[in-house]
Amino acid sequence: MKTMHTLLVVFLTLTSTLLLAQNYTPVEQTIPMGSKSVNAWVINVGEEPTDVLRKSFMKYAKQQWDVKMKKDGKEAAIAKATVIPSLSTQQGDLKASFFTEGNETRMAVAFMPGYDISFNTQDNKTEMENLRKSVKHFVKSYKMAQYQDQLTDNERRKKSLESAFEKNEREQKRLARSLTKIEKQLASDKTKEAKRFELNNKQIGDQSRQEALDLIMHNQRDEIAKVEQQIQSSREAISQLETLFAEPITLSDTEENEQ
């Protein structure tokens, strides 16, 4: 049991280390979307099912921008002739593609104000910066929700395990009192033989139950320790994600001129 707990700690430590190694920085790339090559922000999302990721982004677009996207083939989504005020005043097509490279899932998001035109950082610096931040915000929200769900589930499980343990603990104390009383009754000369027979049987039953509870509570203590480690790991992962997704501090033009 101790070996299993040690392995769990090692696994969770490696998970945290891998999370830190992830690069969640959107990169501008020219990629194919349908029959065209477009400029898009491409970001790594880890090992995620592309269909789940697409569904989540479509939901995000509706909640965040009030934009209804539709599936476009097997691994893409599109919202045609839409205006997203937080990105740009121009009308265009919002496109998103979801694909895998090796073991990693990536998503690419582009905005096309014209048939053969897509926003790019050279010609549309402000609009592309707005789009970059939105893509990064989506991925952060997506990953945060995963770890928050894990944290909530484990906190709920810990509470349930602790409640069961406390119930068994109360039963252990009741059995201890019962066995002490039985011992006194068996030691008394006033206890009749028929009663002694019943007391002996109850003593055997109480002792067996007490031994079983010892094993059950030992397992519960080990499981609580595992869940507590998982809770700690989720909290650390959430904290690390906050660090990974933090926007770099940039100097204003005035501050740069002063230096």
Side-chain angles (χ1 to χ4, degrees):
M1 190 67 69
K2 185 177 180 181
T3 302
M4 289 296 293
H5 184 259
T6 302
L7 289 173
L8 177 65
V9 172
V10 171
F11 171 76
L12 293 172
T13 301
L14 287 173
T15 301
S16 297
T17 302
L18 288 172
L19 176 60
L20 280 172
Q22 291 281 8
N23 182 8
Y24 294 111
T25 303
V27 177
E28 185 180 12
Q29 293 180 5
T30 301
I31 66 166
M33 282 192 178
S35 60
K36 302 178 182 64
S37 291
V38 303
N39 284 74
W41 286 115
V42 181
I43 187 170
N44 172 40
V45 196
E47 296 183 22
E48 303 291 338
T50 55
D51 57 334
V52 174
L53 189 60
R54 177 171 64 174
K55 183 178 179 180
S56 295
F57 186 70
M58 292 171 68
K59 183 178 179 181
Y60 177 89
K62 180 62 178 175
Q63 293 177 340
Q64 197 76 11
W65 301 317
D66 195 26
V67 169
K68 186 175 182 181
M69 301 189 76
K70 297 181 178 181
K71 293 180 180 179
D72 186 25
K74 292 183 178 180
E75 295 183 328
I78 186 171
K80 294 184 177 181
T82 186
V83 176
I84 305 174
S86 61
L87 300 183
S88 171
T89 57
Q90 296 186 60
Q91 179 177 280
D93 295 348
L94 175 68
K95 293 187 174 184
S97 177
F98 309 87
F99 53 96
T100 56
E101 289 185 358
N103 294 326
E104 301 293 339
T105 301
R106 301 181 188 279
M107 65 176 290
V109 182
F111 191 84
M112 301 186 66
Y115 181 76
D116 289 319
I117 304 170
S118 58
F119 280 161
N120 61 83
T121 52
Q122 183 175 352
D123 301 320
N124 315 94
K125 184 176 179 180
T126 300
E127 291 84 352
M128 280 294 277
E129 177 62 9
N130 292 338
L131 185 59
R132 181 194 70 81
K133 287 181 178 179
S134 293
V135 169
K136 193 172 180 180
H137 181 262
F138 162 71
V139 176
K140 177 184 177 181
S141 302
Y142 180 84
K143 302 300 288 188
M144 279 289 188
Q146 289 182 325
Y147 285 111
Q148 191 60 54
D149 286 346
Q150 291 174 13
L151 178 61
T152 300
D153 288 345
N154 282 320
E155 286 178 336
R156 189 181 294 114
R157 177 160 169 72
K158 180 188 175 185
K159 186 176 181 180
S160 176
L161 285 166
E162 288 176 337
S163 177
F165 182 86
E166 290 168 1
K167 181 179 178 182
N168 290 335
E169 199 171 38
R170 290 193 295 271
E171 186 178 356
Q172 279 277 41
K173 292 177 180 179
R174 182 185 63 76
L175 289 169
R177 291 194 297 270
S178 175
L179 287 168
T180 298
K181 183 178 179 181
I182 289 172
E183 288 176 3
K184 288 181 180 179
Q185 288 177 297
L186 289 174
S188 174
D189 295 334
K190 296 180 181 180
T191 304
K192 296 180 180 180
E193 287 302 315
K195 182 65 175 176
R196 287 179 183 279
F197 175 79
E198 294 176 2
L199 289 171
N200 281 324
N201 286 340
K202 181 167 176 52
Q203 184 181 50
I204 292 170
D206 286 355
Q207 287 174 340
S208 296
R209 176 59 180 164
Q210 200 173 48
E211 291 170 3
L213 281 173
D214 285 340
L215 295 174
I216 291 170
M217 292 170 71
H218 176 76
N219 285 339
Q220 287 174 328
R221 276 190 291 266
D222 285 346
E223 191 65 17
I224 289 171
K226 290 179 185 178
V227 173
E228 285 177 340
Q229 185 63 49
Q230 290 168 351
I231 288 171
Q232 182 61 28
S233 178
S234 293
R235 287 174 177 165
E236 289 175 359
I238 290 171
S239 177
Q240 289 166 4
L241 277 174
E242 289 287 0
T243 301
L244 288 170
F245 280 95
E247 285 290 328
I249 299 174
T250 57
L251 295 174
S252 66
D253 293 339
T254 303
E255 290 174 318
E256 287 177 350
N257 291 333
E258 289 176 352
Q259 287 193 351

